[in-house]
Amino acid sequence: MTDCARVWAALGPTNTGKTFLAVERMLGYPSGMMGFPLRLLARENYERVVRAKGPDHVALITGEEKIIPPNARYFLCTVESMPIGRPVDFLAIDEIQLCADPDRGHVFTDRLLHARGREETVFLGAATMEPLLRRLLPDCLFETRPRFSKLTYTGPRKLTRLPRRSAIVAFSAADVYAIAELVRRQRGGAAVVMGALSPRTRNAQVDLYQSGEVDYLVATDAIGMGLNMDVDHVAFAAMEKFDGTRQRALRSTEVAQIAGRAGRYMTDGTFGATADVGPLPTELVERVEGHQFQAVRQIQWRNSALDFGSVAALLNSLNAPPVLDVLRRTRDAPDHVALETLTRDEDLRRRARGREAVALLWDVCRVPDFRKIHEESHIRLQGQIFQHLTGRAGRLPPDWIAGHIKRLDSTDGDIHALTDRIASIRVWTYVAHQNDWLSDAEHWRQRTRAIEDRLSDAMHERLTQRFVDRRTAVLMRKLHDREALIAVVDRDGAVRVEDHHVGRLDGFVFTPVSGGRGRGDKAVLNAALKALHGEIGRRLVALETADDAVISLADDGTVQWDGAAVARLGRGPDCLRPAVDLPVNDLLSGERARRVRDRLSAWLDRLVARDLAALLALRADHGLSGAGRGLAYQIGEALGTLPRAAVQDQIARLTPADRKVLARLDVRIGVESVFMPPLLKPDSQRLRALLWATARGETAPAPPPRGRVSFAVAPDDAAGQGGEADRLDAYHRVLGFRVVAGRAVRADMLERFTAALRQAQRDAARAEHGEGQGGAALPPALCSMLGVSVEEAETLCRALGYRTWRDDAGGVRFRAGRRRPRASGHDRAETAAERRRRLAKGAARASDSPFAVLAEKVRA
């Protein structure tokens, strides 16, 4: 340092242009060096100087990154990495108030006392340092710079009511993530900035905010230094922090440093509280707004004139006391703690003999712990590094390094896993920049940097995926700018607002993709509804003019138009006249709903008239007698099929004219059933099933297997038991089937089956020239006709009142027995127990006959 070298300090609050001034002055000299508190700031200003002087003349030196061209004249560094032995014309230290920081303060103090430029030295920082600087540097000149913009306290606000371009500050990763998630739901998303993120990830997140893609930033106090962003408002979500040893309240200078991020250049800024933090104390607010803080009285210090003669000498020099009362010996830093811990090991103490070995041990102890894990784990790693470096090869084994690095080269996992890997790879990036430690340092630098970049990019992607909803962010921005949102409905029914998918319009029903209740969701819904009202009108006209062929009835009773459910069957005046129920829909009400209902009702009437014309014809006046009208009414009520036994009285009273009219109406009066053949077609069966279920207010049972004329519906021993059996029986009669002995048989096929049985009996009787006492053989064709086995056909015969047995060849033979009339309900064979009860009841009724009296006397 020459006698005429100028030493001065540019002091003031944030947003005073101090750093910009220092860089401009450095560029006016042939060479210069600046020390910054953060690697991020060093990189930012390095790029600025490169733009001005070119990459061949500018160096970047940090613990994890070294770019040093052979002709470098300007050096942008972190304070710890400044090569202060290199002479330069201009030298500056940024954020000089960090001399008072308990962890890193001693490094800033060393630069304050010993780092100088040949022509000019400048210290940048808070005005609280002025009294102490005057005492330590009597010849120092001072320039106090006022803040360009005004900083104003606006009180507490809810998180959901913070203005755009706000930074929300918390002091733990858990709180940052929770707040970012809330902002995403309510406002579309937030960028996240924390000290644990790599510089690359932090830059990407800051760019996300700066570009306007999101309007909110959630951060720790990492934004307090040097991150130049367009922040209009800073909101404190907490007023306490854990400083590494204890939980404590924020100091007023810390509040000012963070709040000062609001407002850039000539734009005023505001600050306040949010979340559960109430109003800030009046005294604190006045200090922050007026930039009036208590002066720094002591700064951290550690002896920098270290003695590497031995481990003991090094420890003694580190423990040397300060010579001035304004200097406070720093608490044991991590490198000091590592040195004391490692040198308790006898093997390491033997290896650390001689000046070079002690200096090497000290360099190893200074490997930073970016992981912030258990202190013992990091110190153990430092010990392994020192053992390898003092081994026979004098280098770190490539296989050993590769093993550690390989475990970190993965972008799988969540945010926490990526954070841990990034911190770990930064340790190895630092190690790779120690040229004497590795045989191929450049290779390992490139590899660790590539891994860190991949992890950082993955981290940025994960943060963006989790905490940014681009759709809502865009919409909120347009709402703020009072722009109309553009909504469209695609041909496939997809509803889009500002090209973001927000739901689907199926028929006349809109289903949103989410049920959020934030302001953005309401605005999206309102915009979508405007487009939907117009689309509903177009669809209504299309429905009214559409051909009946595009309307259908689903198995669950819903009415579908072009495959979309638009209504469902409801209870009407009677079974053949169901109602059309529309879903509750704000988009379809009033006149529009009436028009849809009228159109679908007309279609339904035509469908019933087409598929159930035979049933509708029974309702007309055909000149039938009273018995004929009664029978026609009962057939209509049963939807086409009845057991003959249930209407035997009406059948007996039919006139010949009645029978002719009913035959013309397709009514067939069989031995077992009264039915209507046109109604046995599958489409007619399906429609009647839906109408029957709708009239009963229930869901129709499963339809019969298509193409089958008989099928099992229940085990024989359970047939006819309980209300469910009666319900199934009624349902199958609606379909035109009769349930006999646990098997549903289509009414016309049941008639053919019984007719074949009667014919077989007659043929057997004629063959025997008598009464057919040997019975008739069951024709094999009957089994194939119904699709049943011989055993099932035999069961049907018994249920129909025939006696069956097996002949010597194993064939089934049958004979007509006393048949009981079967009324509605499950038809089945009479069990032995029921026969005994029937005979007992008959005997009781005849107990007063002469034969009964005579029998009683004989028994006596």
Side-chain angles (χ1 to χ4, degrees):
M1 177 177 124
T2 62
D3 293 339
C4 60
R6 179 172 182 254
V7 179
W8 64 289
L11 305 179
T14 57
N15 191 25
T16 58
K18 300 184 295 292
T19 304
F20 180 86
L21 171 67
V23 172
E24 290 298 307
R25 291 193 65 84
M26 180 181 71
L27 295 179
Y29 287 95
S31 64
M33 182 184 300
M34 290 189 67
F36 297 93
L38 300 173
R39 171 187 173 188
L40 191 67
L41 286 175
R43 162 62 79 166
E44 180 183 306
N45 285 280
Y46 162 78
E47 293 172 352
R48 176 183 168 190
V49 177
V50 164
R51 289 193 295 269
K53 295 295 184 178
D56 294 339
H57 301 292
V58 187
L60 173 67
I61 306 177
T62 69
E64 305 155 65
E65 192 172 16
K66 289 181 174 63
I67 304 174
I68 309 176
N71 299 321
R73 295 186 288 116
Y74 301 96
F75 297 82
L76 290 304
C77 321
T78 53
V79 171
E80 286 86 347
S81 300
M82 293 175 69
I84 56 176
R86 178 185 290 268
V88 291
D89 296 304
F90 175 91
L91 186 142
I93 306 295
D94 197 16
E95 303 292 357
I96 195 64
Q97 75 275 5
L98 287 179
C99 287
D101 182 73
D103 297 318
R104 303 171 63 202
H106 64 279
V107 180
F108 283 81
T109 299
D110 179 73
R111 305 298 184 258
L112 171 67
L113 298 176
H114 303 295
R116 295 291 184 272
R118 287 181 299 214
E119 298 295 331
E120 183 175 342
T121 302
V122 59
F123 301 109
L124 315 171
T128 54
M129 286 291 291
E130 182 175 349
L132 192 143
L133 290 176
R134 288 186 180 279
R135 179 172 178 182
L136 292 176
L137 308 174
D139 297 330
C140 182
L141 303 176
F142 292 89
E143 178 182 326
T144 302
R145 298 178 65 84
R147 182 179 167 90
F148 288 138
S149 60
K150 185 179 180 181
L151 186 62
T152 307
Y153 173 65
T154 57
R157 296 186 186 184
K158 292 182 178 180
L159 275 169
T160 55
R161 295 187 177 276
L162 291 175
R164 293 173 67 221
R165 313 309 292 169
S166 287
I168 306 162
V169 181
F171 297 96
S172 72
D175 288 344
V176 167
Y177 293 151
I179 293 170
E181 177 65 27
L182 177 60
V183 174
R184 183 193 67 81
R185 293 198 305 267
Q186 296 290 337
R187 295 303 184 91
V192 172
V193 172
M194 299 187 297
L197 302 180
S198 69
R200 185 181 179 97
T201 304
R202 273 183 286 177
N203 281 342
Q205 288 289 299
V206 169
D207 288 344
L208 186 69
Y209 174 82
Q210 285 293 96
S211 67
E213 192 165 350
V214 295
D215 285 322
Y216 298 88
L217 178 75
V218 185
T220 61
D221 49 352
I223 67 165
M225 287 186 190
L227 284 179
N228 297 316
M229 297 169 293
D230 299 325
V231 175
D232 293 338
H233 180 79
V234 171
F236 289 87
M239 293 300 291
E240 292 184 345
K241 64 177 287 187
F242 182 73
D243 63 3
T245 58
R246 63 188 177 88
Q247 190 79 12
R248 63 169 177 81
L250 294 178
R251 302 185 184 96
S252 58
T253 52
E254 293 172 323
V255 174
Q257 186 76 27
I258 298 169
R261 295 297 110 192
R264 300 308 303 161
Y265 193 48
M266 302 302 292
T267 303
D268 292 341
T270 58
F271 72 100
T274 188
D276 296 329
V277 179
L280 302 185
T282 302
E283 181 183 359
L284 174 62
V285 171
E286 291 175 350
R287 287 190 174 190
V288 174
E289 288 183 336
H291 314 297
Q292 301 296 323
F293 306 102
Q294 189 174 4
V296 175
R297 290 190 171 89
Q298 281 189 320
I299 56 177
Q300 300 293 318
W301 177 89
R302 187 172 74 180
N303 183 25
S304 60
L306 301 180
D307 184 352
F308 297 109
S310 66
V311 170
L314 176 58
L315 288 170
N316 287 335
S317 60
L318 284 170
N319 291 322
V323 296
L324 297 174
D325 58 350
V326 295
L327 303 178
R328 181 178 182 179
R329 182 182 172 278
T330 189
R331 66 190 184 195
D332 291 342
D335 50 6
H336 192 168
V337 172
L339 178 65
E340 291 182 333
T341 303
L342 289 176
T343 53
R344 296 191 188 108
D345 184 274
E346 286 299 325
D347 178 59
L348 285 176
R349 288 183 71 90
R350 284 196 303 270
R351 291 171 180 267
R353 289 178 179 173
R355 184 172 295 276
E356 290 185 4
V358 173
L360 175 60
L361 176 59
W362 179 239
D363 287 340
V364 171
C365 290
R366 294 171 66 191
V367 173
D369 182 15
F370 295 109
R371 298 172 295 175
K372 305 298 181 185
I373 57 176
H374 294 101
E375 188 178 73
E376 295 82 359
S377 176
H378 186 66
I379 293 175
R380 186 163 55 251
L381 175 64
Q382 291 170 318
Q384 293 171 348
I385 292 174
F386 183 70
Q387 287 176 327
H388 286 304
L389 293 177
T390 54
R392 182 173 301 176
R395 295 287 189 275
L396 297 179
D399 292 345
W400 181 73
I401 300 176
H404 281 279
I405 291 176
K406 184 177 180 180
R407 291 193 293 269
L408 305 175
D409 193 5
S410 171
T411 57
D412 296 336
D414 58 11
I415 289 174
H416 300 289
L418 290 174
T419 300
D420 292 341
R421 289 194 203 116
I422 289 173
S424 296
I425 199 63
R426 288 180 69 187
V427 173
W428 292 105
T429 300
Y430 180 94
V431 170
H433 278 86
Q434 314 309 309
N435 290 330
D436 296 337
W437 294 6
L438 303 100
S439 56
D440 189 359
E442 182 60 29
H443 163 75
W444 293 110
R445 281 197 290 270
Q446 292 178 2
R447 185 169 176 185
T448 56
R449 175 49 49 85
I451 294 174
E452 181 179 334
D453 288 348
R454 283 196 296 272
L455 292 172
S456 298
D457 292 341
M459 183 67 166
H460 171 63
E461 182 182 346
R462 297 288 198 286
L463 290 171
T464 304
Q465 287 176 347
R466 179 171 173 183
F467 299 122
V468 177
D469 180 348
R470 286 185 166 88
R471 176 186 70 89
T472 304
V474 170
L475 298 176
M476 292 302 300
R477 192 156 51 248
K478 283 185 171 288
L479 286 175
H480 182 270
D481 297 335
R482 299 185 182 278
E483 294 183 30
L485 300 179
I486 300 174
V488 295
V489 182
D490 296 341
R491 285 188 174 185
D492 62 352
V495 182
R496 299 180 180 278
V497 177
E498 293 295 335
D499 203 32
H500 294 284
H501 180 72
V502 299
R504 288 192 59 80
L505 180 64
D506 294 305
F508 298 103
V509 177
F510 172 62
T511 305
V513 294
S514 64
R517 292 179 289 178
R519 182 183 169 209
D521 292 295
K522 294 177 182 177
V524 170
L525 181 60
N526 290 335
L529 289 177
K530 292 180 181 179
L532 289 171
H533 277 294
E535 179 64 18
I536 291 293
R538 289 189 290 272
R539 292 194 176 195
L540 177 55
V541 173
L543 174 63
E544 290 178 323
T545 58
D547 190 86
D548 281 357
V550 298
I551 307 174
S552 60
L553 194 58
D555 290 337
D556 60 355
T558 59
V559 180
Q560 297 187 341
W561 171 45
D562 277 342
V566 292
R568 68 177 304 108
L569 297 183
R571 288 187 181 182
D574 62 54
C575 194
L576 297 183
R577 290 191 296 166
V580 174
D581 292 340
L582 301 182
V584 177
N585 188 352
D586 293 337
L587 296 171
L588 198 65
S589 59
E591 178 63 17
R592 286 183 167 184
R594 183 194 63 76
R595 289 168 60 187
V596 172
R597 193 178 293 108
D598 289 348
R599 171 66 179 94
L600 297 179
S601 295
W603 163 82
L604 187 57
D605 289 343
R606 287 191 289 272
L607 178 67
V608 172
R610 184 192 71 191
D611 291 347
L612 304 181
L615 274 180
L616 293 175
L618 291 177
R619 296 187 173 191
D621 184 6
H622 299 284
L624 293 168
S625 67
R629 288 196 303 273
L631 179 60
Y633 175 80
Q634 290 194 58
I635 295 172
E637 288 296 298
L639 297 183
T641 305
L642 283 170
R644 175 168 179 148
V647 289
Q648 183 60 41
D649 291 344
Q650 287 95 328
I651 293 174
R653 291 186 281 113
L654 291 176
T655 67
D658 290 336
R659 290 179 179 273
K660 290 182 179 180
V661 171
L662 291 173
R664 288 200 305 270
L665 294 174
D666 289 315
V667 175
R668 299 293 179 265
I669 301 174
V671 174
E672 296 294 330
S673 308
V674 178
F675 63 99
M676 303 183 74
L679 300 182
L680 301 180
K681 298 177 181 179
D683 289 343
S684 174
Q685 289 175 331
R686 178 173 173 273
L687 178 57
R688 292 202 314 279
L690 289 173
L691 296 178
W692 176 82
T694 300
R696 294 167 63 101
E698 61 184 50
T699 302
R706 195 170 185 85
R708 298 287 298 277
V709 297
S710 77
F711 52 92
V713 294
D716 288 348
D717 58 358
Q721 296 180 9
E724 179 62 17
D726 292 338
R727 174 177 173 274
L728 286 174
D729 181 59
Y731 169 69
H732 286 100
R733 283 205 307 274
V734 166
L735 298 178
F737 285 76
R738 295 290 309 284
V739 178
V740 182
R743 189 168 193 85
V745 183
R746 206 171 68 188
D748 59 335
M749 301 306 292
L750 183 62
E751 293 299 326
R752 290 177 59 184
F753 183 78
T754 57
L757 292 178
R758 293 194 300 273
Q759 183 62 43
Q761 274 197 305
R762 288 194 294 270
D763 292 344
R766 284 195 297 270
E768 295 175 2
H769 305 287
E771 297 297 324
Q773 296 298 315
L778 182 68
L782 294 185
C783 296
S784 58
M785 181 178 72
L786 295 184
V788 299
S789 65
V790 173
E791 291 76 11
E792 290 169 332
E794 183 180 5
T795 301
L796 284 174
C797 288
R798 290 198 300 269
L800 292 170
Y802 292 92
R803 292 173 55 199
T804 67
W805 68 93
R806 296 292 177 119
D807 58 23
D808 295 338
V812 177
R813 302 191 71 84
F814 66 95
R815 174 189 299 160
R818 292 188 60 185
R819 298 184 59 188
R820 299 170 56 237
R822 290 180 299 278
S824 60
H826 260 50
D827 301 325
R828 56 187 172 83
E830 181 182 40
T831 65
E834 289 174 330
R835 184 171 181 275
R836 287 195 296 271
R837 286 196 295 273
R838 178 171 58 80
L839 293 176
K841 290 180 180 178
R845 287 195 297 270
S847 60
D848 56 348
S849 69
F851 298 102
V853 174
L854 179 60
E856 184 64 30
K857 288 182 177 180
V858 171
R859 284 196 295 270

